[in-house]
Amino acid sequence: MPLPPGPYELRLADLRTRWPGGEVIGFGDTDLLLPQGRRVALLGRSRVGASALAAVLLGFLDYQGVATLNDVQLRDLADEDVRGVIGLCAHDAHLFDTTIAENVRVARPDATDEDVARALAEAGVDLPPDTRVDDQSVVVGAGRRRIALARALLADLPILILDEPDTGPDEIESGAADAALAELIAAADGRTLLLIMHRTVLPGAAPILRHVDEVLEI
């Protein structure tokens, strides 16, 4: 089906999926409606389930149940259309062996240098655009996620999935992890945001949850 016009409303209900050869992954009685601009934290019981949900939303896994974009099932849309609306900002985002600027420009090849610089600034990337990255790069963790966010901002994706990395106890204790996530959430202001968290937290107990509109366990 053709991609419906925005603004986009995402709904998830009675959702089930599975990795090839794996067991069925269910998301309980989740019934989630996300109008444009809503920010929701999803507390994942396991990384496998949270990753599967992201894969469904990006068109990489088939599913049963309801996963609609403006009342159209994601499975009925072309994968490239879905990924033109929904983007993933992951801590392990793939970076090409080229400059940071060119890594961001893959989201919109015709973007000007000014467009790229603006996206990098909004995402909080504090390295020069002509910094070159490779497998040994210092651009890891939060840096990779910020570059992925800059790509999403340059492409003007209205729905973003922010996948929290595994966080060490020292980072949690110091508040460094939450501070980095808060900056990313602020940079995505105005966009629908799904923050997939892997920590075991009680709703209302983690400071980062003050930056979202709703908390849901999946």
Side-chain angles (χ1 to χ4, degrees), residues 112-130:
T112 66
D113 291 344
E114 290 75 17
D115 293 334
V116 172
R118 187 180 307 111
L120 287 168
E122 290 176 357
V125 178
D126 56 5
L127 294 171
D130 59 355

Side-chain angles (χ1 to χ4, degrees), residues 100-135:
I100 289 178
E102 291 309 308
N103 268 282
V104 172
R105 203 189 303 273
V106 297
R108 209 179 85 208
D110 63 345
T112 66
D113 291 344
E114 290 75 17
D115 293 334
V116 172
R118 187 180 307 111
L120 287 168
E122 290 176 357
V125 178
D126 56 5
L127 294 171
D130 59 355
T131 300
R132 194 170 187 87
V133 300
D134 55 34
D135 291 339

Side-chain angles (χ1 to χ4, degrees), residues 22-43:
E23 297 181 353
V24 172
I25 300 170
F27 301 98
D29 57 358
T30 298
D31 193 337
L32 181 62
L33 185 66
L34 292 97
Q36 186 67 47
R38 190 161 183 80
R39 300 169 299 179
V40 175
L42 301 178
L43 308 183

Side-chain angles (χ1 to χ4, degrees), residues 91-191:
H91 69 284
D92 58 353
H94 179 73
L95 297 181
F96 299 97
D97 185 7
T98 183
T99 65
I100 289 178
E102 291 309 308
N103 268 282
V104 172
R105 203 189 303 273
V106 297
R108 209 179 85 208
D110 63 345
T112 66
D113 291 344
E114 290 75 17
D115 293 334
V116 172
R118 187 180 307 111
L120 287 168
E122 290 176 357
V125 178
D126 56 5
L127 294 171
D130 59 355
T131 300
R132 194 170 187 87
V133 300
D134 55 34
D135 291 339
Q136 304 303 315
S137 173
V138 295
V139 185
V140 295
R144 286 179 180 265
R145 200 162 55 247
R146 287 181 186 278
I147 291 174
L149 176 58
R151 287 172 176 166
L153 297 178
L154 185 64
D156 200 21
L157 300 181
I159 301 175
L160 300 178
I161 304 168
L162 182 55
D163 189 13
E164 181 192 44
D166 292 324
T167 304
D170 291 342
E171 289 181 288
I172 295 176
E173 184 67 25
S174 69
D178 280 357
L181 279 176
E183 289 180 7
L184 291 169
I185 293 171
D189 186 47
R191 291 169 170 78

Side-chain angles (χ1 to χ4, degrees), residues 10 14 22 25 39 48 50 55 64 71 74 79 81 83-84 87 89 104 107 112 119 123 134 173 192 199 203:
L10 181 66
D14 193 26
I25 300 170
R39 300 169 299 179
V48 172
Q64 293 177 303
D71 296 323
L74 295 180
D79 291 343
D81 284 345
R83 291 192 283 272
C89 302
V104 172
T112 66
D134 55 34
E173 184 67 25
T192 303
R199 292 181 250 168

